[in-house]
Amino acid sequence: MAPLPENLTTERVLAIKHYTDRLFRFRITRPAAFRFRAGEFVMIGLRTEDRPLLRAYSIASPPWDDTLEFYSIIAPSGPLTSRLCHIKPGDEVLMARKPTGTLVLDALTPASRLFVLSTGTGFAPFASLLREPETYTKFEKIIVTHTCREAAELRYSEDIVNALPEDPLIGEAAALHVMRYATCTRTSCHRSGRVTDLIGSGKMFSDLSIAPLNPASDRVMVCGSLPFIHDMQAILNAKNFVEGSNAAPADFVVEKAFVG
Ligand code: A2P
């Protein structure tokens, strides 16, 4: 096997849980020197005969956690995920030493409500942000949406949000200030429809009994498929939200959920 490039470390799988035949979460060891901000992503992968096979993965665990959690789709023809889905506790996983990303609190200017909107595995960075104490000092209300094809694919965000009140650091704040709005599009479930349509029609706001999106009071993070991101950018631009970045914080930030 080729020697490991210096920017990578070798970590060990600690736990793995499959949600559906397409989705699983896994936990790995964390190098002592590894620092990240809630919402960032890092390259994760496996050794192969010729060179490491790596993909960008949002870190789903909070920065204070001793271990690192990730949430993955299984793309049957995806070179990495078709192998990664077979990992077991004790197996080796490669990880880059440096994380990066735009879905960070530093990229948003102050406001009172934070909307984190996701499709599919795009919920993962928000699983980290929802467990980060700074989220609750910066925002009074956090509205988290998750849209998937099937009801079973909403289980991960349900597990994470349901566990928030027990969290020793943010439990009390989360119990009071987090609202989850989950929808599915291809099977019958509690709420159906794309979140973009439910925002456009105003139904999401009436369902939650909250005021509609307004750049004077709200900040937004978007993570999911490219078409979802483009549609949300158009909706937010039409409402005069300004897209921000690490270098120029503003009203909203977007990032594609990674697949393959
Ligand atoms: P739909 O079933 O109507 O395509 P995927 O698994 O393809 O990434 O999709 C995940 C979820 O994101 C699905 O519920 C899908 O709805 C939804 N979705 C896909 N494109 C958009 C979009 N442009 N706006 C809102 N939701 C979308």
Side-chain angles (χ1 to χ4, degrees), residues 93-172:
V93 168
L94 303 178
M95 188 178 87
R97 293 179 196 276
K98 288 237 177 298
T100 184
T102 55
L103 298 177
V104 290
L105 294 167
D106 293 342
L108 297 175
T109 49
S112 59
R113 300 190 303 180
L114 174 65
F115 286 76
V116 296
L117 313 177
S118 63
T119 62
T121 55
F123 175 75
F126 305 143
S128 180
L129 279 153
L130 286 167
R131 292 180 280 181
E132 162 58 56
E134 196 186 349
T135 306
Y136 299 88
T137 56
K138 288 205 158 164
F139 294 97
E140 288 161 24
K141 283 270 173 242
I142 296 112
I143 297 97
V144 45
T145 82
H146 193 201
T147 298
C148 291
R149 297 179 186 189
E150 299 172 16
E153 297 173 341
L154 297 170
R155 267 297 295 284
Y156 180 60
S157 65
E158 188 182 356
D159 283 358
I160 296 286
V161 173
N162 284 350
L164 291 178
E166 312 326 318
D167 188 295
L169 290 182
I170 52 81
E172 216 171 306

Side-chain angles (χ1 to χ4, degrees), residues 6-241:
E6 267 193 13
N7 62 328
L8 299 178
T9 65
T10 302
E11 301 306 316
R12 293 275 166 197
V13 177
L14 297 169
I16 175 158
K17 175 176 175 176
H18 285 263
Y19 277 88
T20 68
D21 54 4
R22 290 197 327 138
L23 293 165
F24 66 106
R25 73 197 271 186
F26 60 98
R27 203 164 263 282
I28 64 171
T29 51
R30 174 177 178 168
F34 184 74
R35 296 277 173 272
F36 71 99
R37 294 177 295 172
E40 287 189 314
F41 65 85
V42 65
M43 303 304 286
I44 288 283
L46 295 172
R47 269 178 193 255
T48 63
E49 281 307 315
D50 40 348
R51 62 194 166 85
L53 191 54
L54 298 162
R55 292 288 180 271
Y57 270 91
S58 288
I59 304 165
S61 46
W64 49 261
D65 204 326
D66 290 342
T67 60
L68 297 169
E69 180 171 304
F70 301 92
Y71 183 52
S72 182
I73 194 148
I74 303 167
S77 53
L80 178 63
T81 61
S82 60
R83 298 177 204 209
L84 199 60
C85 66
H86 299 298
I87 51 172
K88 295 180 300 305
D91 286 355
E92 260 187 15
V93 168
L94 303 178
M95 188 178 87
R97 293 179 196 276
K98 288 237 177 298
T100 184
T102 55
L103 298 177
V104 290
L105 294 167
D106 293 342
L108 297 175
T109 49
S112 59
R113 300 190 303 180
L114 174 65
F115 286 76
V116 296
L117 313 177
S118 63
T119 62
T121 55
F123 175 75
F126 305 143
S128 180
L129 279 153
L130 286 167
R131 292 180 280 181
E132 162 58 56
E134 196 186 349
T135 306
Y136 299 88
T137 56
K138 288 205 158 164
F139 294 97
E140 288 161 24
K141 283 270 173 242
I142 296 112
I143 297 97
V144 45
T145 82
H146 193 201
T147 298
C148 291
R149 297 179 186 189
E150 299 172 16
E153 297 173 341
L154 297 170
R155 267 297 295 284
Y156 180 60
S157 65
E158 188 182 356
D159 283 358
I160 296 286
V161 173
N162 284 350
L164 291 178
E166 312 326 318
D167 188 295
L169 290 182
I170 52 81
E172 216 171 306
L176 287 172
H177 304 303
V178 173
M179 289 177 156
R180 174 172 172 270
Y181 191 77
T183 72
C184 66
T185 51
R186 301 197 192 178
T187 55
S188 73
C189 69
H190 177 56
R191 283 201 181 92
S192 349
R194 290 180 166 195
V195 76
T196 40
D197 295 336
L198 296 160
I199 288 174
S201 68
K203 188 169 185 316
M204 181 176 102
F205 307 102
S206 57
D207 285 347
L208 295 172
S209 303
I210 58 172
L213 276 171
N214 178 344
S217 55
D218 303 331
R219 298 294 170 261
V220 186
M221 292 183 171
V222 181
C223 189
S225 67
L226 218 44
F228 169 61
I229 287 171
H230 289 155
D231 288 356
M232 275 314 308
Q233 278 170 319
I235 291 171
L236 293 168
N237 287 331
K239 292 182 189 294
N240 297 317
F241 280 78

